[in-house]
Every structure is written in structure tokens, then in C-alpha cells.
Amino acid sequence: MFPISEFDQNGFACPIPVMNSSQAASLAEQIMRFQHEDPDKAARAFGTNTHLLFPSLCEVIQREQILDAVEQVLGKNLLLWSASFFIKGPKTSSFVSWHQDSTYWGLEPPEIVTAWLALTPSNLENGCMEVVPGSHLRGQVSHHDTFGDENMLSRGQEVAVDISCEKTEAIELEAGQMSLHHVRIFHGSKPNPTNTPRIGFAMRFIPTHVQQNGGRTFALLVRGHDEFNHFDRPNLPETDLGVTEWEMHQESLKRMNSVLFKDAAQATKVKGHQSLKTDEKFS
Ligand SMILES: O=C(O)CCC(=O)C(=O)O
């Protein structure tokens, strides 16, 4: 297990082993097959709560290796608030601007940890996540929305800090390893110029006392007890991409949308991987 003092000081921890590389490859294969067969639906599915569509991902989010690590940071009573994919295809220009996750999520207090699981190797060559160690201690910093076409974030939000003056560190992972990062750490990633995809599955965990401002969303109890009931419980998938699974996913998207885009200047301009666009015609 990683030393919690390092997480407290740096705002991240890695690498943490979760599964072997063949298990990671088989999940990556399942995800890429879906993307190949139905790119439009896949874009919607990958933007948030993809675990509501695949039993295999529900198994992942409840893995002991992940929850033991998250428990070290957040304590015993844990909810999974969202889970989404960051997929950079081969030779693509998608990137993630430098940002703090806490900017638009409307969660109070800001006690959220992301477990970012690499389903392929993720390194400097293919656009791995980079962080500014210790930046989580600077509090919430202002951001501006760029809505950049190649930006994988919902608003293309960017921290108002000159990152070229900061000391950054790359989070390099093998397939099957994960990193943890604090909701306030400055982080981002560059495009993938290599011939193979870079796939990460980002799971956002909160302790049960955290509340959602601006609406009621879903969160799954993954460890311990929930005496607060600040979130509704989602129905878990029984089959891959089934009709009721899409209905549940659609409902969770709608609720997320109403929270994340409540005050956005261009609430309808959502695109790409982190798209939260809803669609009445699932199935
Ligand atoms: O996958 C990436 O490159 C960035 C991921 C990210 O911003 C996040 O998980 O919060």
C-alpha cells in the first residue's frame, strides 16, 4: 500500500496494482469493440457512468485493490459518484487542459478521489496524465471555459495559472495499474501521437457525508454504510448495453447534466469523450 503521507503532501499516489495486464487488455478489447461497432453511442456511454452499462465494469469499481487504496484517503464509508473513460485513439490530437476536478462538480465538502486505471500502458509518449505535485494545497483556483474542439473536458476548462512556470510530473502506468489523485490537484495530458490507443478508466469516489449541490444525482455504495442518503442508488447492469441499462444510464446523464452545466455559457455545446449529451433514442 502507498504511504498516505505522500498522498497528503503530493496530491497523488502511483503506481498501484489493480489487475494483471491480460485482464486489462480484455477490458480494453471490450471497450474498443463497442466503440468500433457504434461510435456515437460509445461516445455518450464513455462520458459518464459507463459502469451502468457493463457488468464487467461494475466488478472493476468494487475491486478490493481499488477500494483499499481509496479507503486510506477517504475512510471506510465510500460511494462511487461517477466513472468514465478517457480514450485517446492512435495519432489523435485529443488532449486534456490543465484543470482541477473540483471546479464544476458541485460536491461539498471537496473530498473526492479519482482512481485512474490504465487499461493500456499510459506514458509520456502516448499522452499520460501529468500533475503539478502539491498543487492540491492551493485551494480552488479560477478557471476559464475554452470549449476547445480537441479538449476532452466537458467545457474545456483551464486553470488560470501559467503551467510552464510549474514543476510537473508524469504519471506513467502499465496496463492494470492505477493512480489516485486529489480533486484539487492541477492535472492535464497531451495528445497521443503513437500508433496504439491510450485508455484510462477514471472512477470518482466520495465519502458518504459529501453532498451534491444543485440537484440529486446517483452514487453507488461500494464500501461501509451510508447514514446520510444524499444520493439515489442506481440500478446495476445485468447485461451489456441492455435496454433497461441504457434507460438507467440516460437518467444518470440527465441528472449529471443538470448539475455540471447549470451555469455554463454554452450548455448545449458538449462534445467528445466527456460529452454529457443526452439522447432519447437509446436502444
Ligand atoms: O486521462 C487523462 O488524460 C486526464 C484524466 C483526468 O483529467 C481525470 O481523470 O480527472
Side-chain angles (χ1 to χ4, degrees):
M1 206 44 80
F2 62 93
I4 186 67
S5 57
E6 271 178 35
F7 182 89
D8 289 343
Q9 191 180 328
N10 297 326
F12 71 100
C14 70
I16 300 166
V18 173
M19 58 180 64
N20 63 40
S21 57
S22 58
Q23 290 170 318
S26 130
L27 281 170
E29 207 268 321
Q30 183 179 27
I31 289 307
M32 294 314 282
R33 191 171 354 109
F34 173 39
Q35 190 178 48
H36 179 74
E37 286 169 4
D38 201 333
D40 288 346
K41 266 190 176 180
R44 276 178 224 122
F46 294 157
T48 201
N49 290 344
T50 326
H51 64 292
L52 298 178
L53 294 166
F54 290 97
S56 56
L57 295 179
C58 267
E59 188 272 319
V60 171
I61 58 168
Q62 298 180 74
R63 279 206 169 211
E64 225 175 39
Q65 299 89 330
I66 298 177
L67 298 183
D68 287 350
V70 174
E71 181 178 329
Q72 281 212 101
V73 182
L74 296 180
K76 286 188 178 316
N77 299 317
L78 297 173
L79 298 167
L80 178 95
W81 177 67
S82 86
S84 61
F85 278 92
F86 284 83
I87 301 176
K88 293 180 182 170
K91 295 193 184 301
T92 47
S93 43
S94 311
F95 71 99
V96 174
S97 50
W98 285 93
H99 68 286
Q100 294 174 300
D101 289 334
S102 47
T103 309
Y104 297 118
W105 288 354
L107 294 169
E108 284 295 335
E111 294 172 25
I112 304 116
V113 161
T114 296
W116 196 99
L117 173 65
L119 296 187
T120 63
S122 182
N123 47 47
L124 267 178
E125 287 71 49
N126 66 11
C128 68
M129 198 160 41
E130 297 178 60
V131 296
V132 176
S135 53
H136 64 301
L137 300 173
R138 298 192 208 174
Q140 181 64 47
V141 169
S142 42
H143 284 61
H144 61 275
D145 296 340
T146 69
F147 290 100
D149 281 340
E150 303 296 344
N151 198 318
M152 296 171 86
L153 299 181
S154 52
R155 305 177 182 210
Q157 60 266 35
E158 202 159 52
V159 71
V161 167
D162 183 358
I163 297 293
S164 66
C165 302
E166 303 282 345
K167 185 180 161 301
T168 61
E169 194 166 321
I171 298 191
E172 297 197 295
L173 300 170
E174 297 299 334
Q177 295 178 334
M178 72 168 182
S179 56
L180 294 185
H181 70 260
H182 190 281
V183 72
R184 287 229 159 114
I185 197 165
F186 300 174
H187 62 291
S189 66
K190 300 189 181 86
N192 173 16
T194 71
N195 292 321
T196 50
R198 191 227 67 165
I199 306 176
F201 184 45
M203 296 156 264
R204 323 289 185 176
F205 293 95
I206 54 177
T208 48
H209 61 261
V210 164
Q211 297 194 53
Q212 180 82 66
N213 293 330
R216 203 166 163 92
T217 55
F218 291 97
L220 178 68
L221 184 68
V222 286
R223 183 162 278 190
H225 305 284
D226 182 0
E227 58 184 275
F228 298 96
N229 283 313
H230 292 320
F231 295 84
D232 286 341
R233 296 280 174 265
N235 301 327
L236 297 188
E238 290 178 5
T239 184
D240 287 353
L241 302 168
V243 174
T244 52
E245 282 76 5
W246 275 114
E247 282 166 3
M248 181 68 240
H249 185 259
Q250 171 81 350
E251 179 62 23
S252 82
L253 281 177
K254 270 193 194 146
R255 295 208 199 172
M256 278 285 191
N257 237 348
S258 73
V259 170
L260 299 190
F261 292 96
K262 209 162 59 136
D263 57 349
Q266 301 184 51
T268 52
K269 188 173 183 230
V270 290
K271 72 280 169 276
H273 154 78
Q274 281 297 89
S275 165
L276 295 175
K277 190 172 172 184
T278 56
D279 186 333
E280 300 304 325
K281 295 194 199 101
F282 285 122
S283 81

